Structure formats: structure tokens, C-alpha cells
Amino acid sequence: MKKIAVSLLLAITFFLEPIRIWGQFEKESELSSRILYETQVEQTQEEQAQEGQSQEEVQDASDAPVQTEAPSVILLEISTGKVLYEKNSQEQRSPASITKIMTLLLIFEELEKGNLTMEEEVTTSAYAKSMGGSQVFLEEGEKQTVETMIKCIVVASGNDASVAMAEHIAGSESEFVKKMNEKANQLGMVHTHFEDCCGLTDSTNHYTSAGDVAIMSRELIGRFPQILEYSSIWMENITHVTAQGTKEFCLTNTNKLVRSYEGCVGLKTGSTSTAKYCVSAAAKRGDIMLLAVVMGAPDHKVRFKDAAAMLNYGFGICNLYVDEDPETPEPAKIGRGVKEEVSCEYKETFRYLDTEGSNLDQVEKRTEYTENLQAPIKKGDVVGKTIYTLDGKEIGTVELVSTEDVRKANFLDYLKKAAKHFGFVK
């Protein structure tokens, strides 16, 4: 009987074991399938997210108002300084010969101070003659006027002319470069450091950004617009007079936009193996002058194409309001002075750049004087402001400044006023 029971138990166990194993297999298979499914879902979601991100990036690029290939660019309107478009404009990059914009700015400042004249002669040193890269082939001891040197720098990008001018102004290129860096600091060019005056060096310590190039370009054009008379020259001959004799040399503008883009009036190009191809291009149409800076373009065609694309965009959207001939403001009332009012004027011309297609004929203005103005008042003191509005929104202000001095009244002045008031004196 025991044998029969044991045999029966073994048979049942033999029969049920495959079922248990199969059930376990099904559970494991179901678990594996679920894990595989969840993994596939996660991967699909990741791929979709990545694809969506890529599509978003592409969409963002296509939504950009200007399509540019160069890695770093900026577009602004010069008179107002309003930035219209930028891409990586604060990125530090090697500037090549657009370095010379700062060199030119310092030259014109020396002219403004009276430390230079356009007719003054500059002698080329052996060191200046030794400059490679772009040059106008000045000989050691050769003399050229400051005006000719400016043309050599801005038109033909002459490294030799740049160094000759730096030495003439500061005694040495290194001393001149100190002045360049000081000026950059004054202008707030926080992404800039110069090592030479022409951009020939490829030192990692010689750098600037598209935004900083725009700052110094705007400063040069705004303060010394005569630079555009030189930067817009397409071709012009200079004369070399040396011990070897006299010969003509043709300066040809490195900025091809001067000839190919309507309204282009400069400003400066640059290229080295490190900097690639750069340009700071100014163009004027009507009352609007734009500046397009391109840095790091892969070739010369791209730098000009990108600059032209930005300029086209800018001219297409810009409308400038200029209060060119405002009425003389009423005098400002003052107290405790020898006079009861002081004449005033606008501190500057008001300009407003619209890019939204607004009707600028609807610009309105009102004047507000500083309350409780008290003598003494000095010429140039702020005595009020004129507020400009468009469609009910303030778009800017211009300060009103005194055009004269008004001293504080003393006892005798009050006595005279009283005498006049009572008719004792006329």
C-alpha cells in the first residue's frame, strides 16, 4: 500500500512540475516583455524629445530675422546705438586688422587735440618698414603726411603705416598700444585687449568681440565722421619718394562692399589664419546709418554676404525720428538769483529709431522744468527735460541745460530790486 502511495505521489509531482515551470517561465517572460516595452517606450520618448529639440533648434534658427554663417555678428543703428540683431556678439575672438579701428580713433583724437595736423609729415622707421602682412611698402626714412598715412591704414590696411603712426604719436608701438587699451577701458570694451596696433599678431592675448568692435566703430564714426571720406575711397594713388626715386602706388580698398553695396561708406576689414575673415561695415541710406560687424567668417565671400544680409534687414525695418529743428524752450524760473529766470537749450538732438512700422508723425512732446530751481546756476546745469511720447508711451527724453550763469542775489541786489519796485530807480 505504501509503495502504491509513493508511486502515486511521484506521478503527481512529475505531472505538476512542468506546469509550475511553465507558469514561472510565463511570469518571467511577462516581466521581461514589460521591462523591454518600458525601455522601448523610454527610448522612443527620448528620441522624440531629442528630435523635438533638434526641430526646435532648427525652428529657432529659421526664425532668426537674419541668416548668417559667421559665428559672431552684430548689427546696430549708429546715431542711437540701438542693436537690431546679434549672435554671440560678446564672444572673444582674434580681430586681425579691424584692430586698426582703434588706431584710427586715437589718430583722430590727436588731430582734435591739435597734437597732429593732416599736413604733418611722418617718417617711417626700420621697424615699421619690417611689418609683414598687408602693407603699402613704405621704405625706411620715407616721409608721408598724416592724411596719406590715414588713407594707407583705412583703405589698404597698411600695417607699416599703422606702426609708423603709432611711433609718431607715442614714441613706440608698445606705448601706443597702452593708449589703445586705456581707450578701450574708457569705452567699456570689457571683452578687448590689444597687443599691437595693426592686428598682425595671432597672440591669444590680442582679442576683442563683435560687440566691442561695434563700440569703437560707432565712437570713431560718431565723433569723427570725416573718417568715412577716407574709408569710402575705392582706389587712389600715393607717391613713394625715397632714395631709390619716385614711384606711384595704388591703394585699393579691402572692403569690397564699398563698391558692391548701395550706401556702403566703410569701415574696415581684417583677416588672419586665426581670426578668419572679419569686417566692420558702415552703410548710409537717407537719415539712417547702420553698422554690421562680422567676425570669424570662413572666407571673404561669407563675411561680405553676412554683412550685406544684416544691412538689408536693418534698412528694411528702420524708421528714424529726428527732432532736428525744435523750438527754443521757454526760460526756466529760478529763485534767489539776480535774475528770476534762466535761458536754456536742448542738451542734444533727440533721435528715436522705430522698428515696428509706427507712424512717427504722431510723436508728441512736452517740457517739464525742475521744481524749486535756486541760484546760483551755472552754464550747462540741467534745468528741465523734454519728454517725447508715441501712442501715449514715453519713447525718450532730452535734458534742458542752462545757456548762462546766474549768480545768487546778495543784500545789495535785493535792495536794488526793492528800489526799482517802488520807483526810486529805473
Side-chain angles (χ1 to χ4, degrees):
M1 188 66 179
K2 288 182 180 179
K3 290 182 179 181
I4 294 173
V6 170
S7 298
L8 184 59
L9 182 60
L10 290 172
I12 293 171
T13 301
F14 179 78
F15 175 76
L16 292 177
E17 182 64 15
I19 296 175
R20 185 186 69 78
I21 294 173
W22 176 254
Q24 183 67 25
F25 173 75
E26 282 188 325
K27 289 180 180 180
E28 291 178 355
S29 296
E30 182 181 353
L31 178 61
S32 299
S33 297
R34 188 166 65 250
I35 292 172
L36 179 61
Y37 171 75
E38 290 175 353
T39 302
Q40 289 174 336
V41 168
E42 288 176 359
Q43 289 176 343
T44 301
Q45 289 175 341
E46 279 186 22
E47 289 172 358
Q48 289 175 342
Q50 290 174 354
E51 183 179 354
Q53 185 177 2
S54 299
Q55 288 177 349
E56 185 178 350
E57 290 174 356
V58 171
Q59 186 69 27
D60 287 344
S62 64
D63 284 346
V66 188
Q67 299 300 314
T68 55
E69 292 183 49
S72 180
V73 301
I74 190 170
L75 172 71
L76 58 79
E77 196 277 325
I78 289 179
S79 68
T80 61
K82 183 173 182 177
V83 175
L84 304 172
Y85 176 73
E86 59 183 323
K87 180 176 72 175
N88 302 323
S89 65
Q90 303 308 312
E91 183 178 81
Q92 292 179 355
R93 305 189 66 87
S94 178
S97 283
I98 52 177
T99 296
K100 297 183 177 80
I101 295 170
M102 180 60 80
T103 300
L104 290 162
L105 176 57
L106 294 188
I107 291 172
F108 276 92
E109 283 192 339
E110 292 300 306
L111 287 165
E112 182 182 56
K113 294 173 185 175
N115 296 333
L116 284 178
T117 66
M118 284 293 190
E119 299 75 26
E120 188 173 329
E121 289 190 328
V122 179
T123 303
T124 303
S125 69
Y127 175 66
K129 176 190 181 301
S130 71
M131 293 296 106
S134 300
Q135 53 188 308
V136 293
F137 303 100
L138 297 171
E139 293 293 334
E140 181 181 356
E142 180 178 347
K143 294 181 179 181
Q144 295 286 356
T145 65
V146 168
E147 184 174 35
T148 298
M149 288 294 196
I150 289 172
K151 292 176 183 178
C152 290
I153 294 169
V154 72
V155 177
S157 196
N159 295 325
D160 44 2
S162 298
V163 174
M165 282 302 304
E167 292 176 332
H168 186 77
I169 291 171
S172 68
E173 182 184 19
S174 60
E175 288 301 311
F176 187 82
V177 171
K178 288 180 182 178
K179 293 179 179 289
M180 294 172 68
N181 285 316
E182 288 171 2
K183 190 64 184 179
N185 185 55
Q186 291 172 13
L187 294 175
M189 297 167 58
V190 296
H191 301 289
T192 297
H193 185 268
F194 297 113
E195 287 283 291
D196 67 27
C197 68
C198 55
L200 188 59
T201 180
D202 273 341
S203 166
T204 55
N205 206 33
H206 186 87
Y207 56 82
T208 188
S209 67
D212 282 0
V213 171
I215 289 174
M216 64 180 177
S217 298
R218 183 176 178 236
E219 180 77 1
L220 176 60
I221 294 171
R223 286 182 58 193
F224 308 108
Q226 60 266 45
I227 184 62
L228 301 177
E229 298 174 13
Y230 301 108
S231 64
S232 59
I233 294 172
W234 175 240
M235 296 179 74
E236 185 172 313
N237 284 350
I238 64 168
T239 303
H240 288 296
V241 180
T242 66
Q244 289 75 37
T246 301
K247 60 180 178 180
E248 296 287 309
F249 181 81
C250 183
L251 304 177
T252 302
N253 205 318
T254 56
N255 184 3
K256 306 310 175 188
L257 291 173
V258 168
R259 200 175 188 189
S260 65
Y261 190 84
E262 180 189 351
C264 184
V265 287
L267 180 61
K268 193 72 197 70
T269 63
S271 64
T272 63
S273 57
T274 300
K276 302 297 177 58
Y277 291 83
C278 311
V279 66
S280 178
K284 188 175 189 298
R285 294 181 183 175
D287 293 331
I288 297 174
M289 183 179 291
L290 303 179
L291 181 78
V293 179
V294 177
M295 296 190 74
D299 58 54
H300 69 281
K301 291 182 180 179
V302 169
R303 75 174 166 191
F304 293 136
K305 178 179 69 68
D306 283 356
M310 286 192 288
L311 292 171
N312 285 339
Y313 166 71
F315 284 122
I317 65 169
C318 288
N319 191 13
L320 185 66
Y321 171 86
V322 183
D323 193 6
E324 291 182 311
D325 191 24
E327 296 179 358
T328 302
E330 294 292 325
K333 303 297 182 182
I334 58 174
R336 298 182 181 179
V338 293
K339 296 174 62 177
E340 295 181 352
E341 58 184 27
V342 60
S343 60
C344 57
E345 64 183 1
Y346 294 93
K347 185 176 181 179
E348 59 189 352
T349 300
F350 177 75
R351 297 172 182 271
Y352 171 69
L353 187 71
D354 174 68
T355 58
E356 305 297 327
S358 304
N359 181 4
L360 298 185
D361 291 335
Q362 301 302 313
V363 172
E364 297 178 343
K365 61 182 181 179
R366 70 179 188 277
T367 296
E368 295 180 355
Y369 293 94
T370 305
E371 294 183 1
N372 299 319
L373 271 174
Q374 302 293 319
I377 300 291
K378 293 182 179 180
K379 183 177 180 180
D381 283 353
V382 177
V383 297
K385 63 181 178 180
T386 295
I387 302 166
Y388 294 80
T389 59
L390 178 62
D391 298 330
K393 296 180 180 179
E394 183 178 320
I395 58 173
T397 63
V398 171
E399 292 179 332
L400 299 178
V401 295
S402 168
T403 60
E404 59 180 335
D405 295 334
V406 178
R407 65 178 176 82
K408 186 177 180 179
N410 55 34
F411 176 76
L412 289 177
D413 294 316
Y414 285 116
L415 194 58
K416 290 178 182 178
K417 284 185 179 181
K420 286 184 179 180
H421 177 74
F422 289 105
F424 296 124
V425 295
K426 294 183 179 179

